[in-house]
Amino acid sequence: MEAQNQASAGRPGQVIIVGAGPSGLYLAFQLGLLDIACTIVDSLPEIGGQCYELYGDKPIFDIPGFESVRAFELVQRLWSQAQIANPRLCLNTLIGDVSGDEKVGFRLSFFPSAAASCDHASSLLNQERFAAVFVASGVGAFAPKRLRLEAAQALENSQLWYGVLPSDEHSLKQKRILISGGGRRAMALVKRLLQYPAAHAPASIDLIARSGLRTMQDEDAEPSSLILSEALRQGRLRIHQATIRGLCVDEQSGRLVGIDMEQRAPDKSGLVRLPADHLLICHGLSPKTDHLLNWELGMRAGHIPVDPARFETRRQAIFAIGDIASYPGKKKLIVSGFHEACLAAYASCDYVYPGKTIHLQYTTTSPRLLEKFAKPLAQAEGIKSGSSC
Ligand SMILES: Cc1cc2nc3c(=O)[nH]c(=O)nc-3n(C[C@H](O)[C@H](O)[C@H](O)COP(=O)(O)OP(=O)(O)OC[C@H]3O[C@@H](n4cnc5c(N)ncnc54)[C@H](O)[C@@H]3O)c2cc1C
């Protein structure tokens, strides 16, 4: 009985959402309407799932109420809407196994990234029991594509980093940094490094991109391209059209001292050695669903069967929504995830508020909900009319 109370007590993270894609973010909002506190966990350093990682700068034309909305913007709007729930966010945190049940609550094991730059919220996961778990893990946990070169594994998280900067950013001071990749993440790291204060700045930044650079189209494209062109002009940044072919490691210390790259520019070819103290690899991501295999959810072909009335899996109080969920007629669309989030949130009340009947309430007419929205609305109105507090 005591354990049951622990599971449903009103603590900061009553329930947990695995995945910060559009389904997980909208679910946080729906839980907020029901006064259910949630923790959202994602293995990536950013929210948004496929929308952010795979097509952030593309317009989406089938979101209700929008003739078109860029995927980045949709993610930002969903996050902003989810603030009604004041969700706790743990990024760079890969969820592994689950233990417990609907009576005693659930515990989740996790693997924080060694280079994690998230807050320390993930350490709380160890201590908490959750009344319900929502799997909103889409096509799977996105993991960086690894460099298949000798010595790469031994250097990982000391001098070789995948898609992130080391957590101790001061360690890059006066170091020769090499970034490999021509996509958005590589550009984000370059920009971040260029913005370091002079006292902590790296000695040099070299970007290796196989086929030139991807055109940036996000909101800050203009200022960022200015930063880049200025850095190129000043020689603080060098760009090479090339591919990494080998890692040069000092035999005695085992430390990375440089790389061999094959040049691919029209006017340059052949193998060249480039000195480096740190190597940041941004070669894209590939999704994996095998972290959920031990959850005993009856996964079939990477999908979790659910009851489409509640989006509950075959384990009580474990729900699945979004692309990972399967049921007759399922369509892998963002709107499907929104519908599933709403029904799963209501169904979870059986575990969060056992014995209570929860009635549907409209955001337009419910005094309780109107009070909830009053503060953010007043703040937004204040910002619009230019008033300050
Ligand atoms: C190129 C492309 C274009 C598309 N265009 C459209 C469109 O126009 N309209 C439309 O409706 N849909 C579109 N889709 C589909 C849409 O993007 C998906 O339906 C939607 O993203 C699913 O959302 P989700 O939240 O379920 O999962 P995802 O977006 O996949 O997010 C899941 C998140 O969970 C995280 N995660 C997974 N496992 C773990 C774990 N063990 N621990 C921690 N985190 C984990 C992942 O890192 C990821 O961030 C498109 C998809 C693609 C690829």
Side-chain angles (χ1 to χ4, degrees), residues 139-157:
V139 285
F142 285 111
K145 288 186 185 153
R146 297 294 202 263
L147 204 58
R148 290 189 189 176
L149 289 175
E150 210 179 311
Q153 209 178 338
L155 294 167
E156 205 171 307
N157 297 328

Side-chain angles (χ1 to χ4, degrees), residues 68-331:
S68 95
V69 57
R70 274 205 289 150
F72 278 141
E73 188 190 339
L74 178 67
V75 170
Q76 280 318 314
R77 283 176 180 266
L78 286 168
W79 179 238
S80 163
Q81 193 178 25
Q83 294 315 302
I84 202 90
N86 196 16
R88 189 170 65 189
L89 185 63
C90 304
L91 295 173
N92 286 313
T93 306
L94 174 69
I95 292 294
D97 281 341
V98 66
S99 60
D101 59 29
E102 78 286 359
K103 294 190 191 75
V104 296
F106 297 94
R107 278 218 168 112
L108 276 79
S109 69
F110 67 99
F111 313 96
S113 152
S117 56
C118 66
D119 55 24
H120 299 292
S122 57
S123 59
L124 295 170
L125 292 181
N126 267 334
Q127 298 149 26
E128 277 185 30
R129 280 184 186 275
F130 298 96
V133 180
F134 297 89
V135 183
S137 56
V139 285
F142 285 111
K145 288 186 185 153
R146 297 294 202 263
L147 204 58
R148 290 189 189 176
L149 289 175
E150 210 179 311
Q153 209 178 338
L155 294 167
E156 205 171 307
N157 297 328
S158 60
Q159 288 180 285
L160 191 155
W161 311 88
Y162 286 102
V164 289
L165 296 170
S167 50
D168 176 11
E169 295 186 356
H170 297 310
S171 61
L172 302 183
K173 182 180 168 181
Q174 283 305 308
K175 295 287 192 271
R176 295 161 301 182
I177 313 297
L178 211 148
I179 300 170
S180 176
R184 185 154 30 87
R185 195 172 289 277
M187 295 311 297
L189 294 185
V190 169
K191 277 187 271 168
R192 182 108 163 263
L193 288 170
L194 288 172
Q195 285 162 345
Y196 271 23
H200 301 138
S204 62
I205 307 170
D206 285 90
L207 179 71
I208 298 182
R210 195 170 47 182
S211 47
L213 292 178
R214 186 188 139 118
T215 318
M216 292 287 293
Q217 287 175 4
D218 62 28
E219 288 113 47
D220 62 359
E222 234 176 89
S224 67
S225 62
L226 272 179
I227 294 172
L228 294 180
S229 51
E230 193 60 12
L232 282 166
R233 199 181 56 76
Q234 293 168 346
R236 293 166 62 212
L237 169 68
R238 289 184 298 260
I239 298 182
H240 312 270
Q241 192 170 341
T243 308
I244 298 181
R245 289 290 177 223
L247 302 178
C248 315
V249 175
D250 179 76
E251 271 183 23
Q252 279 191 330
S253 63
R255 290 189 62 78
L256 177 80
V257 289
I259 59 115
D260 287 329
M261 64 177 186
E262 188 184 336
Q263 300 183 107
R264 302 167 74 106
D267 55 337
K268 285 181 191 161
S269 62
L271 217 57
V272 170
R273 187 157 289 188
L274 206 61
D277 299 306
H278 285 276
L279 184 53
L280 312 178
I281 302 291
C282 307
H283 290 178
L285 302 164
S286 56
K288 283 199 174 104
T289 48
D290 48 2
H291 306 102
L292 302 174
L293 288 177
N294 296 333
W295 286 42
E296 294 176 1
L297 300 177
M299 271 184 98
R300 282 199 293 265
H303 295 95
I304 303 172
V306 289
D307 161 12
R310 296 169 54 82
F311 296 94
E312 196 163 19
T313 67
R314 71 182 194 184
R315 278 181 77 175
Q316 275 189 287
I318 300 187
F319 299 84
I321 62 163
D323 277 12
I324 190 81
S326 89
Y327 52 92
K330 165 78 185 184
K331 297 279 178 282

Side-chain angles (χ1 to χ4, degrees), residues 14-15 28 31-38 85 134 345 348-349 352-353:
Q14 268 164 309
V15 301
L31 291 168
L33 297 184
L34 294 162
D35 288 328
I36 301 175
C38 65
F134 297 89
S348 72
C349 292
V352 179
Y353 304 118

Side-chain angles (χ1 to χ4, degrees), residues 7-55:
S8 53
R11 294 179 322 270
Q14 268 164 309
V15 301
I16 186 160
I17 304 172
V18 182
S23 311
L25 295 178
Y26 188 66
L27 172 63
F29 167 72
Q30 286 291 337
L31 291 168
L33 297 184
L34 294 162
D35 288 328
I36 301 175
C38 65
T39 299
I40 312 176
V41 188
D42 204 296
S43 53
L44 291 174
E46 283 97 13
I47 57 169
Q50 293 172 59
C51 289
Y52 183 90
E53 283 305 326
L54 303 183
Y55 57 101

